[in-house]
Amino acid sequence: MNCIAEQRAKSGIKQRDLVAALGWTQTRLSNYESGRRTAGLVECRAIVSAFNQLGVKCTLDDIFPPGMNASAQAA
């Protein structure tokens, strides 16, 4: 899992604005947010970069917390 949607909501960024910054489709971002698709390192970095570009100071660990996937898999 990840914190993309939570970070967007907390920062007041609309999904369409993040999509525009990324140059992706809304469906692609939605799939990452919902966990239907797992982002690779390149995609993770692009998402963090887009947040920073939109004025949100965050890191890779803020959006993709370490161990978050491990705890979800153990459940």
Side-chain angles (χ1 to χ4, degrees):
M1 292 302 294
N2 60 63
C3 299
I4 302 168
E6 293 86 349
Q7 185 67 48
R8 269 195 324 94
K10 184 173 92 173
S11 304
I13 295 174
K14 295 184 185 315
Q15 192 177 58
R16 69 174 172 241
D17 296 328
L18 188 56
V19 164
L22 288 161
W24 294 352
T25 64
Q26 182 274 331
T27 302
R28 182 177 179 184
L29 180 60
S30 177
N31 284 338
Y32 288 132
E33 285 188 354
S34 68
R36 285 187 295 268
R37 187 172 177 180
T38 302
L41 183 57
V42 171
E43 291 83 8
C44 293
R45 287 180 173 166
I47 291 166
V48 171
S49 179
F51 271 115
N52 287 310
Q53 185 179 16
L54 292 169
V56 178
K57 299 301 176 202
C58 61
T59 66
L60 199 60
D61 287 349
D62 294 329
I63 308 298
F64 302 93
M68 192 170 199
N69 282 338
S71 63
Q73 291 172 353

